[in-house]
Amino acid sequence: MAKGDPGVTTRGRRAAPRSKRAASAATGEPDLVQLLTPEGERIESAIGPDGTEYRVDFTDEEYRGLYRDLVLVRKLDAEATALQRQGELGLWASLLGQEAAQVGSGRALRTQDMAFPTYREHGVLYCRGIDPIMPLGLFRGVDQGGWDPNEFKFNMYTIVIGAQTLHATGYAMGVHMDGKTGTEDGEAVIAYFGDGATSQGDVNEAFVWASVFNAPLVFFCQNNQYAISEPLERQTRVPLYQRAGGFGFPGVRVDGNDVLASYAVTRHALDNARLGQGPSLIEAYTYRMGAHTTSDDPTRYRIASEVEAWQAKDPIARMKAFLTKQQIADESFFASVDEQARTESVHLRERVLNMPNPEPVTMFDHVYPHGSPELDEQRARFSKYMESFEGSAH
Amino acid sequence: MATETLTLGKALNTGLRRALENDPKVVIMGEDVGKLGGVFRITDGLQKDFGDQRVIDTPLAESGIIGTAVGLAIRGFRPVCEIQFDGFVYPAYDQIVSQVAKMHYRSQGKVTIPMVIRIPYGGGIGAVEHHSESPEAYFAHTAGLKVVTCANPQDAYSMIQQAIASDDPIVFLEPKRRYWEKGPVELDAPLDAAYPLHSARVARAGTDATVLAYGPMVRTALDAATAAAEDGRELEVIDLRTLSPLDLTAAYESVKRTGRCVVVHEAPGNLGLGSEIAARITEECFYSLESPVLRVTGFDTPYPASRVEEEYLPDLDRVLDAVDRTFGW
Ligand SMILES: Cc1ncc(C[n+]2csc(CCOP(=O)(O)OP(=O)(O)O)c2C)c(N)n1
């Protein structure tokens, strides 16, 4: 993907190259791999806890593409939140604040890689090329998620916390058994989960399995600081990325509000996985700016100053500052991105309002691949019952 | 045609071997299934012959066994998971009922989970707690799963292969106390010529009353029928074989002839399979019934200490007693 080192260009208008060891005191967060500061300063490379050096080298077009992704997913997410408020969706789990973690990791995936999401990965879904209306069907209640997991290499959303990490592990074992690891164009798998999920048995079992079977898997934990109302301290007393060590694979904490660093660490971990070097854990240190879901009231459990502090680390603002400073993009570009986001969200809204309810009889479909006599009978009886209302004033 | 006399356990082992031979995507996974061949030796020798990528000793984590098998199935494999004992399936319960059972439905048919979950189940072997349970109702209650159980070596041999070949996720219950019972097995009969997987079968024809049983209780019911015959009563015994979906066609036909029905299972009676069966038979055969459908089941207690399990488990006398009661109505 990359051409040239963005730190050293012929035009000489890049930020002065700096190299930074993770655990920089400058940001106040320990052990954080960062390539773009909240002020929009580029850091040329960052060193992870195991000495890995992370860097990215994007073309101007690619930088602008990442910015566009961030703005689009934020806007579509906001539209979905609005649709819920207007009663068009039963529920919505917003990704606000987590765009960089999702776009960074999502763009690091290659076509052949497989992703196992939770219910919040709308940004990753977008990066996988799936129509953003798809998750809205699930939250509207007209289907249970309409995309084809095999076609897009993005599995169904998983609501039961942590369950998908085991599916990802098994899938990754299968990749390995199919002989699709050990080369640069091998396949890798990524499992998404939250900080709360790290307390679940399934996630810990997945760590054990992935480790002992050397599965080509990246565990991508978005630590957004809360599991509904419960703060991180209720889940763990050690930094989450350090858990990996106990299971026998590397762990790294990345600034999850930094799309460049999120991309760099994910790409590196995926490459290691596809080369046959086994699993790793990425803790994307970020913040959920909104409510857990639209049914939540975050003012009950967190204070405004905390939200404000994170506001200052906004993933889009810092990317915009960087693009502006480096003259990679100008006002007309930003305006055109905003316009595109607006158009797409209006389009999304129209399509959601037109999403038809499913025919009731379809509830009997796909319980079993080849049906079941019992169910066929129930379907027939139900159809007859429904028909009995036709034309009648019920 | 090669007919051999095998124990039920060996028939399962041979069936698993056939499945591994016939389809390179079949993988067996579970605790101790490799070198040891499983605690009941049902997978004996398979790892030696097929390697540790096909017969996988897993970490000791039931949710992990089922959850990773889901991922393998999505990847195109056909995992056959062994749960070591009935009482240890519960840590995997969430994965089975929330994930395995629902993936096909949630994906509107785009994802298929062709997976078999083998569970040695039931009592009668003098085991300590958690080693003798009958959890079938938990799974039969879950749409998207199919639940079957075998009662003789022939069925063990063909049903395990049919289950593995099926695209449905199947909970395959093995009557562990019958593992050592022998019977004839036709080894060369093609799979589609075997008796269909999701069908009940008349195990012994009779005219006076119908006894419905499955898994370990089929033998008990047959023994009861033999004893009853000495007293001049001909019991028809039906081996249900499939618990979800329940195939009650043969049972309806039989009860309409005999007018009497007794359902037998080891699991506690409260909300057990017997309740469902009795309700359906009542709906379907109401005008043919001479007496209510009776159930002979385990009691509504946790599985008791093994020194009293003989009193807990339905036996020949309890079955005959129930048969007597259906005649006394
Ligand atoms: C097994 C399980 N328990 C409880 C819930 C209810 N629940 C939904 S989301 C959530 C918090 C999850 O927090 P985290 O893993 O940090 O992910 P986040 O939502 O913050 O992205 C809970 C408790 C659930 N979905 N699954």
Side-chain angles (χ1 to χ4, degrees):
Chain A
M1 175 171 193
K3 334 249 149 42
D5 185 331
V8 194
T9 75
T10 47
R11 282 164 293 176
R13 54 171 169 70
R14 291 289 186 272
R18 287 199 281 145
S19 183
K20 191 177 81 156
R21 180 162 274 280
S24 139
T27 59
E29 270 93 15
D31 306 335
L32 203 61
V33 172
Q34 193 182 64
L35 295 174
L36 187 62
T37 70
E39 295 73 36
E41 298 293 339
R42 270 290 271 117
I43 298 161
E44 188 198 329
S45 76
I47 313 290
D50 62 352
T52 302
E53 186 180 0
Y54 297 101
R55 55 169 68 230
V56 286
D57 42 3
F58 288 119
T59 63
D60 289 355
E61 190 51 40
E62 287 163 344
Y63 278 126
R64 285 190 292 263
L66 287 172
Y67 176 81
R68 185 187 306 272
D69 289 340
L70 294 171
V71 172
L72 278 172
V73 299
R74 175 170 294 183
K75 179 70 177 169
L76 294 169
D77 181 77
E79 190 63 52
T81 302
L83 282 162
Q84 195 284 332
R85 294 294 180 227
Q86 291 156 20
E88 297 295 342
L89 302 180
L91 184 79
W92 183 247
S94 165
L95 62 57
L96 185 63
Q98 301 179 216
E99 297 88 352
Q102 294 199 14
V103 168
S105 62
R107 285 295 178 217
L109 294 169
R110 296 211 191 139
T111 323
Q112 71 268 26
D113 297 338
M114 179 76 180
F116 286 82
T118 71
Y119 42 76
R120 205 188 287 286
E121 267 67 75
H122 323 307
V124 185
L125 175 137
Y126 184 85
C127 293
R128 292 264 84 187
I130 297 173
D131 184 341
I133 198 167
M134 286 301 177
L136 281 82
L138 173 72
F139 288 104
R140 187 173 168 86
V142 302
D143 60 38
Q144 300 189 308
W147 63 92
D148 184 340
N150 299 311
E151 182 188 347
F152 294 99
K153 296 232 151 196
F154 183 82
N155 202 51
M156 286 169 279
Y157 277 4
T158 302
I159 306 273
V160 180
I161 300 298
Q164 77 285 358
T165 57
L166 282 170
H167 308 160
T169 305
Y171 190 96
M173 288 165 64
V175 168
H176 203 48
M177 284 150 69
D178 281 341
K180 295 293 168 69
T181 50
T183 62
E184 300 213 332
D185 56 0
E187 292 180 41
V189 183
I190 190 164
Y192 288 90
F193 53 101
D195 42 295
T198 61
S199 299
Q200 286 283 351
D202 276 7
V203 174
N204 288 273
E205 291 186 27
F207 287 169
V208 171
W209 282 70
S211 175
V212 303
F213 290 106
N214 202 42
L217 177 59
V218 176
F219 290 106
F220 194 91
C221 175
Q222 285 168 85
N223 174 1
N224 64 7
Q225 313 299 331
Y226 288 91
I228 310 187
S229 69
E230 297 193 359
L232 186 64
E233 301 81 70
R234 194 32 67 110
Q235 312 297 338
T236 185
R237 293 189 62 177
V238 296
L240 291 176
Y241 79 93
Q242 288 180 7
R243 293 250 180 113
F247 291 94
F249 50 85
V252 55
R253 179 184 275 176
V254 63
D255 182 343
N257 285 15
D258 170 355
V259 70
L260 305 182
S262 294
Y263 177 94
V265 296
T266 312
R267 172 50 67 100
H268 179 80
L270 287 166
D271 282 345
N272 277 349
R274 78 180 87 252
L275 283 169
Q277 288 164 22
S280 52
L281 170 64
I282 296 171
E283 177 191 355
Y285 202 77
T286 181
Y287 195 77
R288 181 239 296 157
M289 295 302 296
H292 168 71
T293 67
T294 43
S295 349
D296 176 35
D297 174 9
T299 62
R300 283 175 175 243
Y301 55 84
R302 64 186 196 190
I303 50 172
S305 61
E306 180 184 288
V307 182
E308 274 161 31
W310 277 93
Q311 193 89 55
K313 301 177 194 173
D314 184 75
I316 297 186
R318 75 172 74 176
M319 195 61 183
K320 189 169 184 177
F322 163 67
L323 295 179
T324 308
K325 271 187 222 164
Q326 300 303 315
Q327 299 170 22
I328 296 171
D330 56 15
E331 274 315 314
S332 77
F333 169 76
F334 296 128
S336 79
V337 171
D338 288 345
E339 180 52 27
Q340 182 188 351
R342 205 190 61 81
T343 317
E344 287 195 20
S345 69
V346 169
H347 188 47
L348 183 74
R349 150 172 302 265
E350 287 164 2
R351 291 164 69 214
V352 168
L353 300 182
N354 287 323
M355 268 181 147
N357 288 344
E359 284 298 322
V361 74
T362 59
M363 78 171 108
F364 293 96
D365 293 346
H366 304 301
V367 179
Y368 301 98
H370 307 292
S372 117
E374 275 183 317
L375 220 48
D376 292 346
E377 199 185 306
Q378 282 180 26
R379 180 209 308 268
R381 231 181 298 138
F382 175 79
S383 295
K384 226 165 137 193
Y385 175 73
M386 293 303 276
E387 277 160 25
S388 74
F389 290 106
E390 234 140 72
S392 69
H394 53 276
Chain B
M1 195 155 288
T3 303
E4 277 187 40
T5 302
L6 299 180
T7 62
L8 189 147
K10 183 67 184 167
L12 284 166
N13 175 269
T14 314
L16 289 168
R17 173 176 291 278
R18 284 287 149 88
L20 285 164
E21 279 164 4
N22 291 341
D23 185 347
K25 286 296 184 187
V26 171
V27 290
I28 290 177
M29 49 204 284
E31 295 156 13
D32 308 297
V33 297
K35 279 213 177 73
L36 183 67
V39 290
F40 290 105
R41 309 290 183 269
I42 304 303
T43 54
D44 194 23
L46 299 179
Q47 189 185 63
K48 186 164 103 3
D49 295 341
F50 294 92
D52 60 7
Q53 295 252 327
R54 302 285 309 280
V55 182
I56 305 168
D57 271 329
T58 66
L60 211 171
E62 285 72 17
S63 194
I65 294 172
I66 304 300
T68 54
V70 168
L72 279 161
I74 294 173
R75 177 74 195 178
F77 287 81
R78 302 184 90 84
V80 183
C81 301
E82 176 172 303
I83 297 292
Q84 203 155 62
F85 282 92
D86 36 57
F88 308 133
V89 71
Y90 307 116
Y93 189 68
D94 165 58
Q95 283 287 344
I96 298 174
V97 302
S98 305
Q99 306 297 331
V100 174
K102 295 187 169 73
M103 284 257 167
H104 189 75
Y105 191 69
R106 287 166 55 215
S107 70
Q108 283 145 66
K110 294 180 191 96
V111 172
T112 302
I113 308 291
M115 173 166 159
V116 177
I117 302 165
R118 295 181 36 239
I119 311 176
Y121 86 116
I125 64 163
V128 295
E129 60 173 351
H130 309 298
H131 290 72
S132 304
E133 305 189 359
S134 298
E136 63 268 26
Y138 299 126
F139 300 112
H141 193 65
T142 302
L145 293 177
K146 290 191 172 175
V147 184
V148 301
T149 175
C150 53
N152 61 56
Q154 177 65 60
D155 269 354
Y157 175 73
S158 43
M159 285 173 81
I160 189 64
Q161 292 182 73
Q162 290 168 321
I164 294 169
S166 164
D167 287 338
D168 296 312
I170 295 184
V171 175
F172 192 93
L173 298 168
E174 301 174 0
K176 70 167 88 80
R177 73 156 127 160
R178 307 297 179 202
Y179 273 150
W180 301 274
E181 290 186 9
K182 288 186 175 170
V185 180
E186 262 187 35
L187 290 175
D188 298 336
L191 210 51
D192 16 323
Y195 200 78
L197 182 61
H198 295 292
S199 310
R201 176 164 52 191
V202 177
R204 175 185 171 121
T207 47
D208 299 333
T210 303
V211 180
L212 303 179
Y214 55 86
M217 284 293 104
V218 174
R219 162 99 338 247
T220 307
L222 286 170
D223 290 347
T226 308
E230 285 164 20
D231 298 338
R233 236 176 225 160
E234 289 300 333
L235 304 184
E236 180 143 302
V237 176
I238 294 178
D239 175 0
L240 289 173
R241 298 170 87 254
T242 173
L243 309 182
S244 183
L246 264 170
D247 173 27
L248 292 178
T249 344
Y252 297 150
E253 192 274 322
S254 174
V255 174
K256 281 177 184 163
R257 266 192 293 108
T258 64
R260 294 183 163 81
C261 182
V262 174
V263 192
V264 191
H265 60 63
E266 286 188 20
N270 183 39
L271 298 170
L273 262 284
S275 316
E276 176 68 21
I277 293 168
R280 288 209 215 167
I281 290 192
T282 307
E283 285 178 21
E284 197 68 25
C285 310
F286 189 68
Y287 292 107
S288 312
L289 283 169
E290 304 285 343
S291 65
V293 180
L294 295 185
R295 287 170 293 161
V296 181
T297 69
F299 301 112
D300 295 323
T301 67
Y303 196 87
S306 63
R307 292 298 173 100
V308 294
E309 71 180 341
E310 287 201 11
E311 283 68 40
Y312 172 89
L313 291 167
D315 61 3
L316 185 148
D317 287 335
R318 275 172 64 195
V319 176
L320 289 176
D321 180 59
V323 169
D324 282 348
R325 280 191 290 135
T326 68
F327 280 93
W329 224 271

